[in-house]
Amino acid sequence: MEYLPLFVDLKDRNCLVVGAGEVAARKAGLLLKANASVTIVAPELSAATQNLLDENKLTHLNTVFDETQLVGIFLVVAATDSEDINRRVYDHAKANNVLVNVADNTELCDFILPSILDRSPMIVAVSSGGKSPILARQLRARLETLIPPSYGNLATLVGRYRENVKAKLPTLAMRRRFWSDILQGRVADHVLAGRDKQAEQALNALLEQSKTDELQQGEVYLVGAGPGDPELLTFKALRLMQQADVVFYDRLVSKEVLDLVRREAEQIYVGKQREWHAVRQEEINQLLVTHAKLGKRVLRLKGGDPFIFGRGGEEIETLASEKISFQVVPGITAASGCSTYAGIPLTHRDYSQSCIFVTGQLKQGELDLNWSALVQTNQTVVVYMGLAGLPTLSHQLLEHGMPADTPAALVQQGTTAQQKVWVSTISELPSVAEREQPVAPTLVIIGHVVSLHNKLRWF
Ligand code: SAH
């Protein structure tokens, strides 16, 4: 290990920054964030350093660097354009036992400033030892997706209860078990969902060992898995996916997304098929309840967004009436994902001022839609579940006055490597489907924005 990571308390310690350009401003800003007392040495200030000065955050020595400025200094950063000056700062700092960092010159550094992920009081520092700051930043960005912003609140809560817990639980082993349960369980869930009061209640209950039954109740996460591309998941979806004990998923959830669910979680397929949908839904609702009552963290993973043609409302209604706690996480809905990946903007100043989502699911072979609302001009119509009823859809729209040459598209398996897009007109679309035989899931998009596909396709 070339460098030992240390977390240094810089509060009110004297730190010197030599130079006043952008890099110097960035480093001074970082030191100030840690409440150091910062002095900048430079004959001229850049706008960024001037700003810090204007905010009364630092002291400015309006002169060139000399050795005497190092007296009483804890650490110094050299970030001037001049190699000579930087080198002089380094030499003097060394001679005076002052910690030194020369920007962009690892050889002349006692310490390096890492890439920081700040979830105070939790702090993650990443460094490549000066070899590739970009790689360090990329790793930091990856960690950022794994560690939610409210993560620090967990540490704060633990900090506040440390002494209490110590008083109550005499052995280290007991305390370790206690905290490990807290940090992986319901209390952490509450904190990360912003429910501080419930978190504290649950923690107290657990500490008193009196309300353990209540604590043992499970929770359901109703999570939108997006249209297929796993990178379209939200941070929150991923976090909940990685702490589930059991997952119920259906046909629309892609394999790549499913691979991101916690490995130990039991996976249960509740795939839906058009015809026996209605019967099955009640069963699914009941399954969620049963598993939550066993104290499990139940993940209900749905394609797209759970509240857009996803029957998410019905599932949580059952949970609510059974008094089971739940969270809902929105997902990128097929309309948004497919249109974006097909290069078809849903609205456009020149072509479409509104957008309407409808279901094209047939009921006894019929489509019961408000046709006059769908044939308005300057509007985009997105039809979910519209493949089987496509001939009826096209026929009815034409009957109700939609111009036959209105552009229309089919997007099959949007956002995935199997995505296919067919562009045609509303009158021709059924014969295109007949010929090309698209497979589910396929989305229908109708409106003049579809004509932009040729120009804007990118995926
Ligand atoms: N809740 C989902 C929609 C469920 S209805 C959402 O918000 O996206 C199922 C319909 O969604 C399918 O019949 C199809 O029309 C559409 N759909 C879902 N994912 C799709 C995808 N990746 N590509 C094309 N259409 C998709």
Side-chain angles (χ1 to χ4, degrees):
M1 190 159 66
E2 262 182 285
Y3 295 87
L4 177 70
L6 294 172
F7 290 84
V8 182
D9 182 0
L10 280 187
K11 189 156 184 291
D12 299 328
R13 281 191 186 260
N14 295 323
C15 299
L16 194 71
V17 175
V18 184
E22 232 173 81
V23 179
R26 214 165 44 232
K27 303 224 170 182
L30 205 56
L31 297 171
L32 288 168
K33 237 180 158 178
N35 300 310
S37 160
V38 179
T39 302
I40 282 201
V41 182
E44 264 173 76
L45 293 183
S46 66
T49 37
Q50 185 64 50
N51 267 349
L52 294 173
L53 188 65
D54 291 345
E55 290 166 13
N56 284 327
K57 291 203 170 137
L58 44 75
T59 314
H60 178 208
L61 287 183
N62 190 356
T63 172
V64 291
F65 170 76
D66 76 67
E67 187 182 354
T68 61
Q69 291 156 358
L70 288 176
V71 175
I73 291 295
F74 179 70
L75 66 82
V76 57
V77 174
T80 74
D81 293 340
S82 151
E83 260 180 49
D84 275 359
I85 299 180
N86 288 350
R87 161 61 76 174
R88 273 203 312 127
V89 174
Y90 175 80
D91 290 340
H92 287 305
K94 276 288 179 208
N96 289 287
N97 263 329
V98 176
L99 285 171
V100 59
N101 171 288
V102 175
D104 290 330
N105 192 337
T106 322
E107 310 244 298
L108 303 188
C109 284
D110 287 335
F111 68 94
I112 43 186
L113 292 164
S115 227
I116 294 170
L117 176 64
D118 187 358
R119 298 283 189 264
S120 284
M122 295 297 285
I123 293 170
V124 182
V126 180
S127 158
S128 65
K131 304 284 188 294
S132 172
I134 294 180
L135 192 61
R137 275 203 295 276
Q138 280 179 359
L139 179 57
R140 197 213 59 169
R142 282 177 67 176
L143 291 172
E144 190 137 83
T145 64
L146 299 177
I147 305 173
S150 47
Y151 206 77
N153 298 349
L154 261 183
T156 308
L157 182 72
V158 173
R160 274 201 287 123
Y161 274 81
R162 252 178 102 108
E163 290 308 316
N164 268 359
V165 172
K166 217 170 186 174
K168 206 131 206 166
L169 306 175
T171 71
L172 187 64
M174 282 170 83
R175 292 197 292 275
R176 195 177 290 151
R177 205 171 327 126
F178 175 80
W179 283 124
S180 147
D181 282 354
I182 294 285
L183 294 174
Q184 285 169 24
R186 307 270 298 128
V187 176
D189 256 13
H190 282 313
V191 173
L192 296 179
R195 298 183 298 233
D196 293 346
K197 220 170 107 198
Q198 284 101 315
E200 223 159 321
Q201 276 168 359
L203 200 157
N204 277 317
L206 197 64
L207 193 55
E208 285 163 24
Q209 295 287 315
S210 55
K211 289 193 195 156
T212 42
D213 286 356
E214 189 181 305
L215 279 161
Q216 253 134 41
Q217 221 204 49
E219 181 172 11
V220 175
Y221 314 133
L222 178 59
V223 173
D229 180 350
E231 285 198 280
L232 295 179
L233 285 170
T234 60
F235 294 163
K236 194 166 191 172
L238 192 60
R239 175 169 64 78
L240 297 180
M241 283 161 67
Q242 289 182 350
Q243 65 186 37
D245 298 311
V246 53
V247 50
F248 293 93
Y249 66 101
D250 50 48
R251 207 159 40 101
L252 281 178
V253 176
S254 72
K255 185 184 171 300
E256 289 83 356
V257 168
L258 211 54
D259 280 347
L260 295 171
V261 174
R262 185 171 147 242
R263 261 174 224 298
E264 295 74 24
E266 186 188 353
Q267 300 199 350
I268 301 178
Y269 175 70
V270 286
K272 289 189 184 167
Q273 246 135 51
R274 249 182 251 131
E275 300 75 27
W276 43 300
H277 201 159
V279 191
R280 201 56 186 172
Q281 186 63 52
E282 276 139 39
E283 255 178 65
I284 296 174
N285 300 352
Q286 211 43 55
L287 276 170
L288 300 180
V289 171
T290 318
H291 281 76
K293 283 191 170 167
L294 289 171
K296 293 185 184 168
R297 287 180 283 184
V298 180
L299 172 67
R300 174 65 175 119
L301 202 53
K302 301 188 82 98
D305 182 285
F307 279 4
I308 296 182
F309 304 123
R311 309 191 74 163
E314 295 163 48
E315 292 181 11
I316 59 175
E317 242 174 74
T318 315
L319 298 172
S321 58
E322 297 271 353
K323 299 212 164 23
I324 287 168
S325 65
F326 59 84
Q327 306 184 42
V328 187
V329 182
I332 290 194
T333 188
S336 182
C338 295
S339 65
T340 302
Y341 279 53
I344 300 173
L346 289 178
T347 67
H348 188 288
R349 278 205 299 172
D350 300 335
Y351 305 104
S352 171
Q353 277 70 47
S354 65
C355 177
I356 190 163
F357 296 175
V358 296
T359 162
Q361 198 173 24
L362 296 166
K363 282 191 193 132
Q364 280 109 36
E366 295 289 321
L367 271 179
D368 182 21
L369 292 168
N370 179 354
W371 298 108
S372 58
L374 298 189
V375 298
Q376 301 297 317
T377 49
N378 295 341
Q379 172 173 271
T380 308
V381 179
V382 179
V383 188
Y384 287 72
M385 298 170 274
L387 208 49
L390 191 58
T392 316
L393 179 80
S394 163
H395 176 74
Q396 289 282 0
L397 288 173
L398 294 170
E399 281 276 288
H400 285 83
M402 182 176 276
D405 61 354
T406 305
L410 294 172
V411 184
Q412 171 199 295
Q413 293 167 299
T415 80
T416 72
Q418 291 75 41
Q419 172 173 301
K420 276 192 187 155
V421 182
W422 293 279
V423 168
S424 177
T425 61
I426 189 59
S427 58
E428 293 300 318
L429 208 57
S431 49
V432 172
E434 183 64 37
R435 190 175 64 237
E436 304 289 345
Q437 294 290 316
V439 296
T442 290
L443 195 76
V444 185
I445 307 179
I446 305 159
H448 284 282
V449 287
V450 169
S451 60
L452 291 164
H453 163 74
N454 277 338
K455 203 156 137 199
L456 303 183
R457 57 196 290 181
W458 60 273
F459 178 63

